[in-house]
Amino acid sequence: MIPRTSVPQVARGALRPRSISKPSNRRSLASQRSGSFNYETGEVDGIKYASRDIPGPTTQLAVVAHAGTRYQLYPGFAEGLEKFAFKSTTKRSSLRITREAELLGAELFAYHSRENLVIGAKFLREDLPYFTELLGEVVSKTKFLRHELNEEVIPIIKLQRKGILANTADMAINSAHGVAFHRGLGTTLHPTSSVPITKYLHEDDLRAFSRAAYAKPNFAVVANGASHDELCKWTGEFFGDSPSAPPKDLPPIEVRPTKYYGGEERIAHDGGNNMVIGFPGSGSYTGGHYNPAIAVLSSLLGGQSYIKWSPGYSLLARATAAQTQAHVSTRNISYSDAGLLAISIGGNARHIKESSEAIVEILKAISGGDIAKDDIKKAVAYAKFRTLSAGENTSTGLEMTGAGLVQSGKPSQLDGIADAIDGVTEGAVKKSCSIGLAYCRHQKTTSSTSTLGINMTAAWKAAGLTYNRYLAVAARAVRRSLKEQPRLQAERRGEMDLRFAKWTNGKQGDNKDLAMANTNVVQLHMQAQQDSHNLREPRDHYLLQRRNAEKGRPTIDISTDFRSAAATLQAGQLVKDPYFTLFEAVGALEVMDPKMDSGFLAEGEALEDKFDVLKELLPEEVVGLMDQMLCHEMAWHMGHPLSTSLFTSYHIDRLLWPEPKKLEDARFYRYAEPGLATSMLHVAVRAYCLATIKCCGFVHRRISTEHYYEEEDFVSNLYNRTLLDEVDTVDIQELLDEALNTAEQHSSIDGALRKAICTRLTLRKHLLDALEFDLGPHQHAQVRSWRRCSELLPELRQTHRLSKPVEGAFSIKLQRTLASSVPPRPMVQNTFEETHTFLSNLCRDAADVYRILRYYGCSSLLNFTYTLQSRKPEPSIYVRCLLQSLIFHDTKVLGRITITRLVYDDLEELVLPADVLLDPANGHVEAPHDPRFQIAKELRDFVLRVGDPLLDMFRAICMNRSRMRRMLCHLVLDWESVQLEAENLDIELRKYTGERPLTEGEAAGTEIWSFPLSSWAYHYKLRQIEWIIQLGFELDVYQTDELRGMYWYLSQVAGARIQHLERIQTIVMRRSGQSKKIGTSQKMSFRRCLTCLDATLLETSATQWLAISLSKHLPYGTSELRHVLRMRPFMQLSIPEPPSYAELAAATDVKGNERSTEAEAISTLDIADEAAKVARKEWEALGKLDAETARCGNCEDWWRASIKDVIRACIACSIAIATVKKGISNKKAISNVDYSNLALFEQFAAAAYCPLNNADLAGGTKIACEAGNCPLVQSNDVVSVYEFENSLKTDVTGYVAIDSTRSLTVLAFRGSSSVRNFVTDANFPATRTDICDTCTAHAGFWDSWVEARPGVMAALKTAAASHPNNRVVIVGHSLGGAIADLAAAEIRNSGVVADLYTYGAPRIAGSTLSNFISNQNKGGNFRVTHKDDPVPRLPPVLLGFVHISPEYYISSPNNVLPTPNDITKYTGSINLQGNSGDNPLKTDLSAHGWYFNAIGACGGGDFEFKS
């Protein structure tokens, strides 16, 4: 096998002289079967393969996949996949593939047909391993890079498309397929010019399609000139990474059985005449639709002579010998389940006509049996020769064989085909021809391309429109009509009454009857055929039509006949009329429709309103006009086009049209006397209008030079108007100053109005200064201008009441003039309040944007950008583009920070403080053998690799929310690649840095490497995943029942980031401790890194806890399909691996549409409430950090405001949870029976503390309490049957007793009374149990029960045998209560019904086991707690421990016997209204020792109750 790492050596070996006469000296070959061209087949690892070991020095290898145009998901996919063959893979670049193929003297090829995609190579025989591996890489490891798609693939597709358009023969064959089969096989081999391939071709979609195309069942490997065993070996090794099945997330490729339709199509073309006559042919040999008679018929018909100086023996060759300017050929084009027998005719139009008539006569003769037997014999022989010759051709055989293997599992074997042809009889040929002739009569396929044509009056001409006007309307209509749902349109068409259309030209008033005009044209055409001998050129038909029209020949109204014919059609049925195309059809719907045609004028309507811009305006009208313009200008900022906003102003229109060449030309009185409009008010209006236009010019230039989305963020169309780009801003400022001076000195105007006019002129002047972008020394002046604008806005709002709108100054008719190619749109009418609010936010945001120029590091830069973009309302598109301009100015960040410095600063701040990798001195080392030289080189390449993804992350944040989420979904995949590449680089850099792994304190000697570069990339990848999920909440992407799962996933991602940051922190701290002799700068570097990690950890932890809180609400249902949709952006990530549907459902306890029980609901809400409280504390701690630690130096006030918003959200979450819990919780006072039982069994638990009751293993002791705290027990006949104490490991202690008076069997456990008991209490970690699946419990409690279990279970079994009717009760206090919980669960699992009474018991397990015990329904649960008892609050909920339900809460004080009214029942595994919710910060250890009496009095001096 050729080693891949030494291709140049292999290439040199390949170029050595070789002897081709003795192949056995080079490589042992399989024995050849002389004269056989059949393939040997096999299958390895699910991949079908076939080989034909033909002797010779070369080999041809190909992968044949069912991925032709028939199977593509969208237009251009098959061709796109073909063009991506041999482009960059994960192992090789496209350049490397090309170089290696050239060095090995090989040829690479790729092509596609209607059914198959073939990629392959021709090479020297001994290089089979290399090219098998190469094809395996192409199949499973192609990268599908965006730049390769845009720069190499799409341009080639477009060029090929143009080449097809120039070949009329290929166009005719393509057209014949479309007419014959419509879809599937009727799909063109190459996208037509009308298909917007850039809309469909996307690198992600092609990558997904390739996974389906190259799934193992969908392709086969075929070789000519290769050993079968060798091919098997290398195929199994190199194609194993191919997917076993197409991805489930792709839409299924619906492949219907091919159906033959037939029809006729004509295509006008200047490149010559071609005609195809076709009818159903034979399918392929491997597809089950093979008809050898068709192959014989094809040879019989023939057409082209293959004998020199002879017309040939074929029937068509002889029949068309006289048509010397026509060439005829016949071929059968076979597919898996169909075929097309195509007779192609090309040449002179007259000879084509004569040849086609001769062809029909020949077909009639064959079907009638009028054919010589010798002709049949010749046809059979030639058909056999053609088939065997094609099979012998290695290229043809590869595709035929591969397609057969994929479809039916058998190759195309030449021997079988030849035998089938030999068996064709004269009758079979006659029958096939008869069938074809029948199709010719009824369903023939005819397609032609021609320079001939028939002229017909079109709708646009009858309507009196110009051709350019018609094209604009029709093209627009077609585009819009294709966006509608075709089915709904068809249904509406079926329900409409067809009406007679009368076309009227609104401008000229010239009426024409379309039906009469078209009927007249048909008659003129018939007359033209009679008179054509008088005309020398076909184009003179138009002159003849005009001549006949002038004679006034009558026309016929066919409307009634048309209605009758249309009534027979079904809704959605298509009717093809070659003379009334889609342009005419849709154009007819739009032209002269007032709602669709901008050029339509109603009767009496003028093209323009008569508004005089020179008329004198009142002062209040000047104020009103300025405010109206401001409203329309801000509407443009909001995303509306200029044609419906500012350009609807007549004043603006007069200034801009005709286009002013200089500032003096921009006047209202362009063609009037200058003195007519020189008043003070007109001077002010003109200056304001010109300044407004110049402001729009600045905005347009700033937005157009950055990334934005047309018509989604902004409409950049200027409608052939200029925005005074050539006019100097100083000149506009001078006009504003002149207008201000004139207004201030005009004493005839009321003072308030004069102040209002000056305020607006001053505001416009400051806006003009602010919008003139400059990152140089004038940036501070721009900030001042924005702030000055903000200061003027209150005065602007106050004086707006003085304004008076100018009626008629804005007109929608200007929109119809500017945007005549689109339907009329209404004029935007923003209120002044909306405008004022928007402008206030614009001024504030634009002034704040400049804070980003204060550089504190990459983290601060990122925090600033994200915080600014998170504002509500979202910053305008101008502000977002201004932010982009500041960040990406002059190919540097902020105009001065290189990308290398940005990356280095961020690496130092996050993972590599004071590290040799980032030492600036490395770049000055010139000796290649020096490790520092290699470090600098590798880091330089790394910066080049990560620069674009890092900047793209900033670019994505500058987009609108929807686009930001979409871009991040694509960008996170790029960071996945960066992480993998960085991991390899980390390993490589160890050779130069001498890094040693961390082993101290690690279990089992595990080595921990730092992986700094990949850790940095992984951190950003996780952060982007968090953003994607959070933006989904903000954009309402998720449905209500998805919120829980997505919040849970957010908590998981945040948890993964916490673990990752803690790992980085550990490594940095260890490095800091090992660096004993470091300078001040290195210490500062470590300090900055650790503070950055602390702040990031705190923020991530707060996010995690808030997500946990919000994920714990009641489930209302879920959908696996929506899970696939939500996880789709993360499916290609390696780590963290997105959860499967089952994992997500299990983690969030999703139960479809089932409702949770009350206990489960309360438990879930309690966990959520606890998490919300922790989240609030984390966010409050984060808000207390200083600006440097939080990395928010340039946006501290915004950042702290956002922290307060999150804290408010935490508080609101807690309030909401409490409200829901209040509605769910059911507070109940207990009954007298329950009260009596609680008091009784408390005394059984108290007796467990008495040493006399648990000292005798054999039992037989009468239960009594020397402290006198169990009188109810002592008054009964209660005798122990088993006693246990002082066990070796946990000191679990208790007894099993029989109460003959009350017919009870009691199992009692003692609480903590020894050091070993205390250790058991403190053993917090959870451990797996065998009580239920996935159930975990407190490790100490579980160990205690496991130690006591054998003896207890045996004693209970004995007691049950002697007292079968006794009621089983399990009791315990404190630690004994926890053990009693576990004992009860297992005893119930054995089939015994047992009641459970615990007093002051701690939490025992997670929600799974606790809920299991609560819902066993094999006995009652009575968990008793006391006011301020601290033990039931342990272990903490945050460690995942919860209680069983319900709780019986005693609210009476210590040393007082509680009454039934003092005991309240609460449900839920976490109930903040019981012991956990009653002043949780107050603890009273004495309360743990008092329930109905001093429960632990027999315990003597136990330390559990000491305070």
Side-chain angles (χ1 to χ4, degrees):
M1 174 180 171
I2 298 177
R4 299 283 67 77
T5 57
S6 58
V7 171
Q9 298 176 11
V10 175
R12 288 193 295 270
L15 295 174
R16 295 191 190 106
R18 294 178 173 89
S19 171
I20 63 173
S21 60
K22 297 180 180 180
S24 59
N25 294 336
R26 299 193 316 274
R27 189 185 300 270
S28 61
L29 303 177
S31 60
Q32 307 299 319
R33 292 181 296 168
S34 176
S36 174
F37 283 91
N38 288 336
Y39 283 88
E40 293 183 70
T41 62
E43 185 171 337
V44 56
D45 195 18
I47 303 168
K48 303 179 183 67
Y49 66 94
S51 66
R52 189 165 57 178
D53 198 355
I54 304 174
T58 63
T59 297
Q60 189 165 350
L61 179 69
V63 173
V64 182
H66 266 194
T69 54
R70 178 180 183 179
Y71 304 110
Q72 63 187 3
L73 295 175
Y74 297 104
F77 267 35
E79 193 163 9
L81 199 57
E82 172 206 326
K83 297 299 183 289
F84 258 113
F86 308 111
K87 292 291 186 285
S88 298
T89 68
T90 56
K91 291 186 176 181
R92 296 173 172 86
S93 66
S94 58
L95 178 61
R96 177 179 171 184
I97 292 173
T98 304
R99 292 279 177 84
E100 291 178 357
E102 290 174 347
L103 288 171
L104 295 175
E107 297 178 5
L108 305 178
F109 62 88
Y111 66 89
H112 73 279
S113 60
R114 283 183 164 78
E115 287 193 310
N116 304 310
L117 171 63
V118 183
I119 58 173
K122 302 176 183 177
F123 48 87
L124 297 175
R125 188 180 187 113
E126 58 202 41
D127 295 329
L128 177 64
Y130 171 78
F131 287 99
T132 310
E133 181 180 9
L134 176 61
L135 292 184
E137 282 185 30
V138 172
V139 165
S140 60
K141 294 182 173 60
T142 299
K143 284 186 175 181
F144 295 96
L145 299 176
R146 181 181 302 177
H147 74 272
E148 290 183 340
L149 174 67
N150 295 331
E151 298 173 10
E152 300 179 31
V153 174
I154 291 181
I156 293 176
I157 293 177
K158 291 181 178 179
L159 286 174
Q160 283 194 338
R161 184 166 62 183
K162 293 180 180 180
I164 294 296
L165 292 177
N167 191 322
T168 56
D170 288 345
M171 288 180 64
I173 287 292
N174 263 327
S175 174
H177 278 82
V179 172
F181 305 116
H182 290 186
R183 298 183 180 275
L185 293 176
T187 306
T188 59
L189 273 177
H190 304 277
T192 61
S193 57
S194 61
V195 175
I197 56 173
T198 53
K199 173 183 177 182
Y200 297 109
L201 290 184
H202 189 276
E203 64 272 12
D204 292 338
D205 297 330
L206 283 174
R207 185 182 297 110
F209 178 60
S210 72
R211 295 201 304 271
Y214 295 135
K216 289 181 180 178
N218 203 55
F219 75 89
V221 181
V222 188
N224 273 316
S227 165
H228 189 70
D229 295 336
E230 288 286 303
L231 182 63
C232 174
K233 173 183 176 182
W234 302 126
T235 300
E237 179 172 346
F238 295 129
F239 284 87
D241 293 338
S242 302
S244 299
K248 295 181 179 179
D249 56 344
L250 284 180
I253 303 175
E254 186 178 0
V255 182
R256 299 178 180 177
T258 301
K259 179 181 178 182
Y260 182 87
Y261 294 92
E264 182 178 346
E265 184 175 35
R266 300 180 184 180
I267 302 173
H269 200 286
D270 293 333
N273 305 304
N274 276 276
M275 182 178 185
V276 175
I277 302 175
F279 47 84
S282 168
S284 64
Y285 176 74
T286 58
H289 297 269
Y290 181 64
N291 182 2
I294 294 294
V296 175
L297 179 59
S298 174
S299 298
L300 180 64
L301 291 173
Q304 293 288 0
S305 173
Y306 297 97
I307 302 175
K308 194 173 183 179
W309 313 119
S310 169
Y313 68 87
S314 68
L315 299 182
L316 294 185
R318 296 199 299 263
T320 59
Q323 285 76 42
T324 56
Q325 297 186 32
H327 50 87
V328 183
S329 63
T330 307
R331 61 171 170 156
N332 176 61
I333 309 172
S334 61
Y335 301 103
S336 59
D337 60 348
L340 182 67
L341 184 62
I343 305 173
S344 300
I345 318 168
N348 178 273
R350 180 172 61 84
H351 285 198
I352 288 178
K353 175 178 179 298
E354 295 172 355
S355 298
S356 62
E357 293 173 350
I359 290 170
V360 174
E361 295 300 323
I362 290 294
L363 292 174
K364 290 179 180 179
I366 297 174
S367 62
D370 187 11
I371 184 172
K373 292 184 179 181
D374 287 343
D375 288 333
I376 295 290
K377 291 180 180 179
K378 294 176 184 177
V380 170
Y382 188 61
K384 184 175 179 180
F385 167 77
R386 289 173 64 180
T387 302
L388 294 177
S389 177
E392 186 179 357
N393 182 293
T394 55
S395 299
T396 307
L398 287 174
E399 182 178 359
M400 292 169 56
T401 302
L405 283 177
V406 174
Q407 183 184 9
S408 61
K410 63 178 182 178
S412 179
Q413 303 289 27
L414 298 182
D415 294 349
I417 301 175
D419 293 342
I421 294 175
D422 281 336
V424 174
T425 64
E426 182 180 351
V429 176
K430 176 182 176 182
K431 180 179 179 182
S432 297
C433 187
S434 299
I435 295 174
L437 190 60
Y439 272 100
C440 284
R441 294 194 183 101
H442 305 289
Q443 291 179 273
K444 70 177 182 299
T445 296
T446 306
S447 178
S448 61
T449 57
S450 170
T451 57
L452 303 177
I454 300 176
N455 293 312
M456 182 173 183
T457 300
W460 60 271
K461 192 174 295 182
L465 301 176
T466 65
Y467 184 67
N468 288 335
R469 170 70 175 147
Y470 152 70
L471 283 182
V473 175
R476 179 189 73 245
V478 170
R479 286 196 302 270
R480 193 168 59 256
S481 68
L482 294 178
K483 293 178 182 177
E484 300 291 335
Q485 298 182 12
R487 180 182 60 80
L488 295 178
Q489 284 186 335
E491 289 177 358
R492 287 197 294 269
R493 286 197 298 269
E495 295 170 358
M496 288 192 312
D497 293 330
L498 293 171
R499 295 184 296 274
F500 176 78
K502 185 176 182 181
W503 294 85
T504 304
N505 184 301
K507 297 179 181 179
Q508 299 177 357
D510 183 12
N511 299 338
K512 288 183 175 65
D513 187 331
L514 179 61
M516 290 184 180
N518 284 336
T519 305
N520 188 29
V521 168
V522 174
Q523 294 180 353
L524 290 175
H525 174 63
M526 295 174 62
Q527 181 64 33
Q529 289 182 328
Q530 299 176 5
D531 299 342
S532 59
H533 63 277
N534 296 324
L535 300 174
R536 290 175 295 178
E537 297 291 341
R539 61 176 179 267
D540 290 341
H541 287 187
Y542 175 67
L543 300 175
L544 182 61
Q545 290 177 26
R546 291 189 57 183
R547 189 184 311 151
N548 290 334
E550 293 170 357
K551 297 179 181 179
R553 292 179 176 171
T555 58
I556 302 173
D557 186 352
I558 60 170
S559 299
T560 302
D561 296 337
F562 183 69
R563 290 193 191 98
S564 301
T568 62
L569 302 177
Q570 299 295 324
Q573 184 175 350
L574 298 178
V575 180
K576 189 175 182 64
D577 182 352
Y579 302 113
F580 196 68
T581 67
L582 185 61
F583 281 99
E584 279 85 358
V586 184
L589 298 176
E590 295 218 351
V591 177
M592 310 312 295
D593 182 345
K595 294 182 179 180
M596 305 302 292
D597 188 355
S598 294
F600 174 80
L601 297 176
E603 186 175 354
E605 183 182 11
L607 185 60
E608 294 184 1
D609 292 328
K610 296 181 179 180
F611 180 80
D612 184 8
V613 296
L614 299 178
K615 73 173 184 178
E616 287 292 332
L617 298 175
L618 299 173
E620 54 269 27
E621 288 181 324
V622 172
V623 176
L625 183 63
M626 291 179 176
D627 286 352
Q628 284 178 286
M629 286 188 182
L630 185 63
C631 290
H632 285 289
E633 181 187 7
M634 292 303 107
W636 179 55
H637 278 265
M638 296 177 188
H640 298 283
L642 282 170
S643 63
T644 61
S645 54
L646 191 62
F647 280 5
T648 59
S649 165
Y650 277 109
H651 291 85
I652 298 293
D653 185 66
R654 292 298 183 270
L655 291 173
L656 294 181
W657 192 257
E659 179 182 344
K661 302 299 182 183
K662 52 185 181 296
L663 184 60
E664 290 73 15
D665 293 340
R667 300 175 299 178
F668 299 137
Y669 46 89
R670 189 85 60 94
Y671 302 111
E673 292 296 331
L676 294 178
T678 56
S679 67
M680 182 279 298
L681 296 178
H682 275 86
V683 170
V685 171
R686 177 174 179 261
Y688 188 88
C689 290
L690 291 173
T692 300
I693 296 169
K694 190 64 177 177
C695 286
C696 292
F698 285 142
V699 172
H700 186 272
R701 184 171 61 187
R702 178 58 39 224
I703 295 176
S704 300
T705 55
E706 301 298 340
H707 284 68
Y708 73 100
Y709 289 90
E710 184 73 23
E711 295 191 7
E712 182 177 321
D713 293 321
F714 184 72
V715 180
S716 61
N717 194 346
L718 299 181
Y719 306 97
N720 295 322
R721 300 289 192 266
T722 64
L723 296 177
L724 305 180
D725 296 329
E726 304 301 325
V727 176
D728 197 332
T729 309
V730 176
D731 296 335
I732 304 292
Q733 294 281 19
E734 290 176 355
L735 288 178
L736 288 171
D737 290 336
E738 178 186 352
L740 274 169
N741 293 332
T742 305
E744 289 171 353
Q745 298 172 6
H746 209 290
S747 57
S748 62
I749 301 178
D750 179 72
L753 287 171
R754 187 168 63 250
K755 183 179 180 182
I757 294 173
C758 292
T759 298
R760 282 151 179 78
L761 291 171
T762 305
L763 175 65
R764 183 56 61 183
K765 181 178 179 181
H766 288 301
L767 275 175
L768 197 58
D769 287 334
L771 290 169
E772 189 173 14
F773 176 78
D774 184 7
L775 199 57
H778 302 296
Q779 57 183 266
H780 300 295
Q782 291 168 327
V783 175
R784 287 195 298 270
S785 296
W786 282 115
R787 290 175 178 167
R788 181 59 181 143
C789 291
S790 297
E791 294 169 359
L792 289 171
L793 289 179
E795 188 175 345
L796 180 76
R797 183 177 185 179
Q798 182 180 1
T799 56
H800 175 66
R801 57 184 176 81
L802 304 175
S803 65
K804 178 183 178 181
V806 180
E807 186 177 355
F810 297 83
S811 173
I812 192 60
K813 291 186 178 180
L814 288 175
Q815 184 271 338
R816 295 170 63 177
T817 303
L818 292 170
S820 59
S821 62
V822 299
R825 294 184 181 180
M827 186 165 53
V828 182
Q829 299 288 348
N830 281 354
T831 65
F832 184 79
E833 285 300 320
E834 294 172 339
T835 299
H836 183 272
T837 302
F838 181 85
L839 183 56
S840 299
N841 294 331
L842 173 64
C843 296
R844 179 202 63 187
D845 295 341
D848 290 344
V849 160
Y850 285 90
R851 293 194 196 181
I852 199 174
L853 297 177
R854 290 177 281 178
Y855 178 71
Y856 297 96
C858 186
S859 297
S860 298
L861 194 66
L862 191 63
N863 286 339
F864 177 93
T865 309
Y866 195 80
T867 305
L868 177 67
Q869 288 299 98
S870 301
R871 282 185 168 180
K872 296 290 185 180
E874 183 180 5
S876 68
I877 178 60
Y878 173 77
V879 173
R880 301 202 303 270
C881 289
L882 178 61
L883 181 60
Q884 293 181 60
S885 299
L886 294 173
I887 296 176
F888 309 106
H889 186 70
D890 286 344
T891 69
K892 291 185 178 181
V893 177
L894 307 182
R896 65 184 190 278
I897 309 298
T898 65
I899 185 61
T900 301
R901 179 185 168 189
L902 185 73
V903 174
Y904 275 29
D905 287 351
D906 203 38
L907 288 170
E908 181 180 9
E909 193 173 47
L910 191 64
V911 293
L912 288 173
D915 195 276
V916 66
L917 290 177
L918 303 181
D919 189 351
N922 294 341
H924 302 294
V925 178
E926 299 181 358
H929 61 274
D930 194 312
R932 292 175 297 171
F933 178 86
Q934 297 299 329
I935 290 174
K937 177 179 178 298
E938 297 290 353
L939 264 293
R940 206 160 37 241
D941 294 340
F942 178 72
V943 169
L944 291 175
R945 174 65 181 90
V946 303
D948 285 342
L950 184 62
L951 295 181
D952 284 344
M953 185 166 58
F954 284 94
R955 183 85 68 184
I957 297 175
C958 294
M959 298 296 107
N960 63 62
R961 294 287 198 277
S962 299
R963 290 293 177 176
M964 176 181 173
R965 185 174 186 272
R966 181 179 178 86
M967 289 180 67
L968 288 175
C969 288
H970 293 288
L971 189 58
V972 73
L973 300 179
D974 200 6
W975 279 93
E976 167 85 357
S977 301
V978 169
Q979 179 192 346
L980 296 176
E981 295 172 20
E983 186 173 336
N984 295 329
L985 181 57
D986 284 327
I987 297 173
E988 182 72 18
L989 288 172
R990 289 178 198 161
K991 298 186 301 185
Y992 309 120
T993 61
E995 179 187 357
R996 296 181 179 179
L998 302 179
T999 56
E1000 298 179 9
E1002 299 298 333
T1006 303
E1007 293 184 345
I1008 298 180
W1009 298 90
S1010 62
F1011 287 99
L1013 303 182
S1014 59
S1015 297
W1016 176 78
Y1018 184 45
H1019 166 72
Y1020 276 116
K1021 184 177 75 172
L1022 290 173
R1023 192 168 188 180
Q1024 290 172 74
I1025 296 174
E1026 288 182 21
W1027 286 340
I1028 292 170
I1029 300 172
Q1030 290 170 328
L1031 285 169
F1033 294 116
E1034 183 177 350
L1035 296 170
D1036 294 328
V1037 171
Y1038 315 125
Q1039 298 186 19
T1040 304
D1041 52 356
E1042 295 180 282
L1043 296 177
R1044 184 182 190 194
M1046 295 310 298
Y1047 276 120
W1048 176 84
Y1049 184 44
L1050 176 60
S1051 71
Q1052 295 298 108
V1053 175
R1057 190 153 74 107
I1058 289 173
Q1059 293 178 358
H1060 182 59
L1061 289 168
E1062 288 175 343
R1063 178 184 179 277
I1064 296 174
Q1065 190 178 50
T1066 301
I1067 294 172
V1068 172
M1069 293 179 68
R1070 190 73 61 86
R1071 283 187 54 225
S1072 175
Q1074 293 173 351
S1075 303
K1076 297 180 180 180
K1077 296 181 180 180
I1078 58 175
T1080 304
S1081 61
Q1082 286 87 351
K1083 291 181 180 179
M1084 290 297 297
S1085 179
F1086 277 109
R1087 179 182 173 276
R1088 283 195 302 269
C1089 180
L1090 291 174
T1091 56
C1092 177
L1093 290 171
D1094 287 339
T1096 309
L1097 268 170
L1098 194 56
E1099 179 263 334
T1100 311
S1101 176
T1103 300
Q1104 182 190 33
W1105 281 110
L1106 184 56
I1108 291 174
S1109 171
L1110 295 172
S1111 69
K1112 298 296 182 182
H1113 64 71
L1114 290 179
Y1116 296 98
T1118 187
S1119 167
E1120 187 171 1
L1121 180 62
R1122 286 201 299 273
H1123 166 266
V1124 173
L1125 182 64
R1126 301 308 173 220
M1127 294 297 122
R1128 186 175 183 181
F1130 318 116
M1131 283 300 181
Q1132 299 185 39
L1133 302 182
S1134 57
I1135 53 173
E1137 185 177 357
S1140 66
Y1141 172 72
E1143 292 171 338
L1144 185 64
T1148 55
D1149 293 328
V1150 177
K1151 298 181 180 180
N1153 293 321
E1154 300 176 5
R1155 293 300 181 98
S1156 300
T1157 65
E1158 183 178 304
E1160 289 173 333
I1162 293 296
S1163 173
T1164 300
L1165 290 171
D1166 286 341
I1167 296 174
D1169 188 58
E1170 191 73 17
K1173 291 179 180 178
V1174 176
R1176 178 182 174 184
K1177 293 179 181 178
E1178 297 279 3
W1179 284 109
E1180 288 174 344
L1182 185 64
K1184 293 177 182 178
L1185 298 179
D1186 59 89
E1188 181 182 358
T1189 302
R1191 270 54 181 180
C1192 62
N1194 46 6
C1195 59
E1196 182 178 358
D1197 49 344
W1198 315 339
W1199 181 80
R1200 297 198 184 281
S1202 65
I1203 294 296
K1204 291 180 180 179
D1205 290 339
V1206 180
I1207 294 173
R1208 293 190 191 99
C1210 295
I1211 296 172
C1213 183
S1214 297
I1215 294 173
I1217 293 171
T1219 304
V1220 175
K1221 285 177 58 180
K1222 186 176 181 180
I1224 295 177
S1225 298
N1226 186 14
K1227 182 177 179 179
K1228 300 177 181 178
I1230 66 171
S1231 66
N1232 291 329
V1233 174
D1234 287 341
Y1235 176 80
S1236 300
N1237 287 333
L1238 294 177
L1240 170 65
F1241 294 113
E1242 187 253 12
Q1243 296 186 19
F1244 275 102
Y1249 282 98
C1250 302
L1252 297 178
N1253 297 330
N1254 47 46
D1256 190 350
L1257 184 64
T1261 303
K1262 180 175 174 60
I1263 301 300
C1265 299
E1266 55 265 34
N1269 58 340
C1270 58
L1272 296 177
V1273 176
Q1274 290 182 214
S1275 64
N1276 297 339
D1277 183 13
V1278 183
V1279 180
S1280 67
V1281 296
Y1282 174 66
E1283 301 172 14
F1284 51 96
E1285 69 168 343
N1286 300 326
S1287 61
L1288 181 63
K1289 181 178 180 182
T1290 64
D1291 196 19
V1292 59
T1293 300
Y1295 63 84
V1296 178
I1298 302 296
D1299 186 341
S1300 301
T1301 305
R1302 293 183 173 85
S1303 298
L1304 299 174
T1305 299
V1306 180
L1307 167 61
F1309 292 96
R1310 187 191 70 187
S1312 301
S1313 186
S1314 69
V1315 173
R1316 274 175 287 169
N1317 285 158
F1318 182 75
V1319 172
T1320 296
D1321 287 341
N1323 192 6
F1324 278 3
T1327 186
R1328 292 292 297 269
T1329 73
D1330 52 11
I1331 295 175
C1332 58
D1333 293 337
T1334 71
C1335 288
T1336 59
H1338 182 290
F1341 303 156
W1342 177 249
D1343 290 343
S1344 297
W1345 164 238
V1346 170
E1347 193 168 12
R1349 179 167 56 185
V1352 169
M1353 297 301 285
L1356 289 176
K1357 185 176 181 181
T1358 302
S1362 59
H1363 298 80
N1365 297 322
N1366 276 13
R1367 169 188 169 201
V1368 178
V1369 181
I1370 306 170
V1371 300
H1373 170 254
S1374 189
L1375 169 64
I1379 301 172
D1381 288 338
L1382 301 173
E1386 192 151 352
I1387 291 168
R1388 290 168 177 172
N1389 280 349
S1390 68
V1392 178
V1393 176
D1395 291 333
L1396 172 64
Y1397 287 83
T1398 66
Y1399 302 85
R1403 299 183 176 102
I1404 61 162
S1407 59
T1408 304
L1409 179 56
S1410 296
N1411 291 336
F1412 178 82
I1413 298 174
S1414 301
N1415 299 316
Q1416 275 186 302
N1417 297 323
K1418 290 184 179 181
N1421 294 325
F1422 299 88
R1423 182 174 65 86
V1424 187
T1425 62
H1426 189 198
K1427 182 181 180 69
D1428 298 334
D1429 183 352
V1431 175
R1433 300 172 186 169
L1434 298 173
V1437 174
L1438 297 181
L1439 295 180
F1441 292 91
V1442 297
H1443 278 299
I1444 67 170
S1445 179
E1447 172 188 7
Y1448 291 82
Y1449 172 61
I1450 300 174
S1451 58
S1452 59
N1454 297 339
N1455 303 317
V1456 175
L1457 180 66
T1459 66
N1461 291 330
D1462 295 327
I1463 303 175
T1464 306
K1465 177 184 176 181
Y1466 295 103
T1467 58
S1469 56
I1470 304 177
N1471 195 310
L1472 300 185
Q1473 292 178 306
N1475 172 271
S1476 298
D1478 188 4
N1479 197 358
L1481 299 180
K1482 181 181 178 182
T1483 59
D1484 183 4
L1485 291 173
S1486 299
H1488 186 61
W1490 180 271
Y1491 274 79
F1492 288 83
N1493 57 31
I1495 192 169
C1498 278
D1502 66 83
F1503 54 82
E1504 183 179 10
F1505 309 117
K1506 290 183 179 180
S1507 58

